[in-house]
Structure formats: structure tokens, C-alpha cells
Amino acid sequence: MSTERLAPLDLAFWHLESAGHPIHLGALAVFAPDPSGPPPTAHALLSLLATRAGAVRKLRTRVRDVLLPVGGAAWTPDTDFDVTRHVHRIRLPGAAPVETEAVALAGGLMERPLERGRPPWEMYLLTAADGGPFAVLVKLHHALADGMRAVAIGSAIFDEIADPRGVRARARQRIREAAAPAPARPWFNEPGRLVGFARDRIDGLGRAVGVGASVVLASRLDPRALPPSLAAGAGGTRRLGTAVLDAEDIRLARKASGGTTNDVLLTVVAGGLRRWLAGRGEPLPEDGPRALVPVSRRRPGGAPGPGNDLSAYLLDLPVAEPDPRARLARVRAAMDRNKKAGPLRGAGALAVLAGQLPPIAHRFGAPLAGGAARILFDLLVTSVPLPRSELSFGNCPLRSLYPMAPLARGQSLAVALTSYGGRIHVGLVADGEAVPDVDLLARATADELTELAALAGQD
């Protein structure tokens, strides 16, 4: 496998990280015992997890600096790769349900930075008694994958994707790649290409200036007052809160009020925050908090691609609005305006701007950009796609899967949602000191959907 340069946004994520602010995303998958055969032992599950993770080519690469371009880096094969350094088993006490104990443990595991000299990922098998339910925690550095790419990598552990049919599909893909046209010769061997190269650079600079101006105009040079729990910023601790939402309730609310599924989910997050803040006796800001809502720029149905390809929208969550239906109407209107403006407008286009900058700018500018996140947004709310089919690992069916997004510096909460098995699974990653009661926020989020669906049923 040859080296592959980090895409500009991947390079930005790589340099954004610090010891106290790791930039990795993850997922906690909870499995039920095999209903049709003898239950696999923890040793067998660990061996299967190591085999499947080690077979993913991308997971056998690490980041190294390169001489050119200046400030750049590349993915290169790890010649000393040992999957046992990345795949671990942790025995749970078994005093509580496996899912409860796994959720409690996951936050602490997610706060640990990944070792940068090795392939930047880890997986943990979390088990109690042999033959019972168990969980798998996946950690991937954000430079390695965005949401869609993370799903493509993480899904390789599932039976339905790691089976021989998947192997044949990957073999056909490699054949197609081998038959692709050879890379063009360097521009300096063809004087006529020099003009085109220069024109592309000038056009790219023009796009960068336009996107950069949009980011600056949408930034808050005088950040608004926030509730204390959201203004505290992130320290070094992490806690995970989880909620499960009924997809039928989402459909009912959407049918009654219009908009998209994502509009309803964003409304539920806003309503959950309102309930939780009110329960803590904290003020409800009239114009926020402001959420960053990532948007994949990949074409629907297309291959995940080699690097991150994101933009984002900004949304002021209407937590001060007391009427759930009015909150949904406000969210829907704001998201319609975002879509009309497109993903290249607003502070959420910072990810697009990163793609227009040279590597040296990321090496020196990413730490500064990370510290400026507070003037751009207050929390992250992202939806992560999953395969629609039922999934299993070692013939043990997947029951729950909670996605986890990284916390930006200066922020105390990130919300990730994914759909599986007729339910929406919500993962809330919070700073352990600023938001010690993230479980109450998770419960408030579920309660908000229940009320919204009940009101929709009355219409």
C-alpha cells in the first residue's frame, strides 16, 4: 500500500488535537447473545474483533510528516502494526445491565487521547459473563474518518459486511481501481498545464476568500451569554449519556408539522435542552445556543471517499420557545434558509475553507482555529448514517448503537444521532465537570419527543 496525503480537512483535524482535547469520534454498539447457537466466549469475540479490524487496510496506516508540501502529512503503512495494541477487552463488574455499565465506562475511555505514532484508533470489547450481552466501543481519530467514512470503517466488524460477499465486492473495487487511468504527469513536464495549474490556484484563492468572508461575517465577535453549563467549556473529562427515540414518533411529528426528519430531531434536541436547563434553574437564552449541524458534501449513494468532506449549517436552537410545535416551525424555517443559502455560507463553512488552505496553514493555524470555536458555535448536533439492514457480530444481533462526536475546545456538549432498527439512538458526549448530569439531559430529550408526538396526534 502506497502513501496517501492527508486531505486538507483531515490535516486540520490532526493539528486541532491537544492532550486535553482529543479529536476522535466513536460509537458504542451493544449486542444480545446469539439466539440460535452456543454463545461465543469472550476470547472468541475478542479474536474475531481483532481479525476483522486488522483486515481493514486503512486501520493499518499511521500519519507521518512529509517534506513536500511544507506542513503536509501522509498516511503510510505501519510496518510495525500489531492489532493487539489496538483491540482490548475490559471485564465489566456485572452488577448492573451490560449496557448501563458500558455507557458509564465509555466516557472515560473516550477522554483518553489516541497514540499519534501508531494508527489512530482503538476498539474495546466490554463483557461481563460469557454468553451474555456485550458491547464494543470503537474510537477513530477524526483525521481518519468523517461520519460516513467512520461508518464504512466501523461496519467492517459486522457479520453482514465482513462475509465473503463483502470480500468479493472489495476485490471487484480493487480491480476497478487498478484499471483506472494512470495519474497525469507532473505539470512541470508539460508547459501548457502550467497555465491551467496557475488558473486553478487563483480560482481556489478566490473561493477561499469568499468562504472566509462568509465565516467571519457569521462569527460572533461578541459571544452571547450562555447558561453556565454550556459556557463552562470542556476540560479533560468526558461522560456519555444515551437516549433511544421511537422513529414512529418522529414520523408522526413530521407528518403533522411538515419539514424533514432532521428538523424534528433538531427540535427534540432543543426541547430536551430547554427541559434540562429549566430543571437546573439556568436561564433560557432568547437567541441560542447556537448549534453546528455538519453536512456531508458527498454525493448520495457514492463511495465514502478517502478523506473528510464536510461543511455545516448554523442553527440557533429556540430553547426559550415554550410551545413544542412553534419550536419545530422555527427550526424548520431556519434550516430552510440554511439550505437555500447553501453550505458555502456562514461560519459552518469553516470546514470548506480548510479545504482551500495550504498544509502549512493548518500546521500553524489549526490550534488558533480550535481556540476560536466558541465564537462560531456553542455545541455540535450531528446525524450519522447507518446501513438499513439488521447487523450482528459473531451471530449476536446488534441491539443498540450510540454514536459519539468529539468535543471542540471551549465547549461542553456534543450530540450525535443515528437510526437503527426503527429507533433513533442518541449519544451525548459531555464534559464531566460542566455537565455531570448528562443522563438527565438524555432523559429530557426522550421526554420532549413523547410530548411532541402526543401533540401531533391531536392535530
Side-chain angles (χ1 to χ4, degrees):
M1 177 181 172
S2 60
T3 60
E4 172 192 318
R5 278 178 50 189
L6 268 72
L9 187 54
D10 301 344
L11 193 62
F13 285 134
W14 187 248
H15 291 305
L16 271 172
E17 185 172 63
S18 66
H21 297 87
I23 305 295
H24 49 250
L25 40 78
L28 180 67
V30 182
F31 298 88
D34 181 358
S36 60
T41 64
H43 176 77
L45 291 171
L46 185 64
S47 176
L48 182 62
L49 183 62
T51 298
R52 290 183 175 172
V56 178
R57 184 176 62 171
K58 190 70 173 181
L59 297 183
R60 301 195 302 273
T61 63
R62 64 180 183 87
V63 176
R64 66 171 179 83
D65 292 337
V66 296
L67 292 176
L68 293 175
V70 177
W75 293 106
T76 187
D78 183 6
T79 56
D80 193 34
F81 179 74
D82 181 352
V83 73
T84 62
R85 295 173 178 167
H86 302 267
V87 178
H88 314 280
R89 180 197 173 193
I90 296 180
R91 293 177 174 84
L92 301 173
V98 162
E99 181 168 323
T100 301
E101 293 186 342
V103 168
L105 183 62
L109 294 174
M110 288 298 289
E111 71 188 37
R112 301 178 186 176
L114 294 162
E115 189 170 337
R116 292 171 72 87
R118 294 175 179 169
W121 64 276
E122 291 176 342
M123 294 187 188
Y124 292 87
L125 176 68
L126 311 177
T127 64
D130 273 353
F134 62 93
V136 173
L137 175 67
V138 178
K139 289 172 56 176
L140 301 173
H141 198 286
H142 211 338
L144 189 68
D146 59 12
M148 290 182 66
R149 182 72 176 175
V151 169
I153 292 174
S155 295
I157 72 169
F158 293 121
D159 300 335
E160 293 75 13
I161 296 169
D163 68 6
R165 287 172 297 176
V167 172
R168 288 196 295 271
R170 289 190 292 275
R172 288 194 295 269
Q173 178 63 25
R174 286 195 293 271
I175 292 171
R176 285 194 295 269
E177 291 173 351
R185 288 176 292 176
W187 55 263
F188 49 75
N189 286 341
E190 298 182 37
R193 287 173 54 83
L194 180 58
V195 175
F197 178 81
R199 184 185 299 114
D200 289 344
R201 284 298 178 188
I202 293 171
D203 290 345
L205 179 60
R207 287 192 299 270
V209 170
V211 174
S214 177
V215 170
V216 171
L217 289 173
S219 302
R220 301 168 307 191
L221 300 181
D222 182 19
R224 68 197 71 185
L226 286 173
S229 55
L230 297 180
T237 60
R238 298 289 183 270
R239 288 178 61 87
L240 173 65
T242 61
V244 178
L245 311 178
D246 191 331
E248 179 59 24
D249 285 346
I250 298 286
R251 188 198 66 79
L252 185 63
R254 178 186 176 188
K255 182 179 180 181
S257 302
T260 67
T261 296
N262 201 47
D263 293 340
V264 176
L265 291 174
L266 289 167
T267 302
V268 168
V269 170
L273 283 168
R274 173 186 168 83
R275 290 169 179 265
W276 174 68
L277 291 170
R280 291 168 61 102
E282 297 191 34
L284 301 175
E286 290 291 338
D287 53 354
R290 175 178 284 186
L292 185 77
V293 184
V295 179
S296 175
R297 300 176 68 225
R298 304 187 192 281
R299 297 180 63 180
N308 285 281
D309 193 4
L310 297 169
S311 183
Y313 295 135
L314 293 173
L315 174 67
D316 289 332
L317 297 173
V319 299
E321 171 56 59
D323 184 348
R325 288 173 291 194
R327 278 198 296 275
L328 177 53
R330 288 178 58 178
V331 167
R332 179 184 176 187
M335 290 302 290
D336 285 346
R337 288 194 298 270
N338 276 330
K339 293 168 188 174
K340 185 176 181 179
L344 302 184
R345 293 291 179 267
L350 185 64
V352 180
L353 177 61
Q356 307 294 330
L357 298 177
I360 192 68
H362 293 301
R363 181 172 293 274
F364 294 105
L368 297 175
R374 171 55 60 82
I375 69 173
L376 301 178
F377 62 99
D378 304 311
L379 73 157
L380 177 75
V381 183
T382 182
S383 294
V384 181
L386 263 189
R388 293 180 180 271
S389 59
E390 293 186 0
L391 300 170
S392 62
F393 175 69
N395 293 322
C396 298
L398 176 67
R399 288 292 176 252
S400 304
L401 192 144
Y402 301 105
M404 289 174 276
L407 276 185
R409 190 178 307 168
Q411 288 158 10
S412 57
L413 179 66
V415 183
L417 310 99
T418 195
S419 174
Y420 177 73
R423 303 187 298 174
I424 308 296
H425 293 82
V426 185
L428 306 168
V429 176
D431 177 76
E433 297 177 8
V435 189
D437 56 346
V438 66
D439 54 328
L440 297 182
L441 174 56
R443 191 180 310 160
T445 303
D447 290 344
E448 177 64 20
L449 177 60
T450 299
E451 179 179 357
L452 187 60
L455 291 173
Q458 297 172 8
D459 293 340

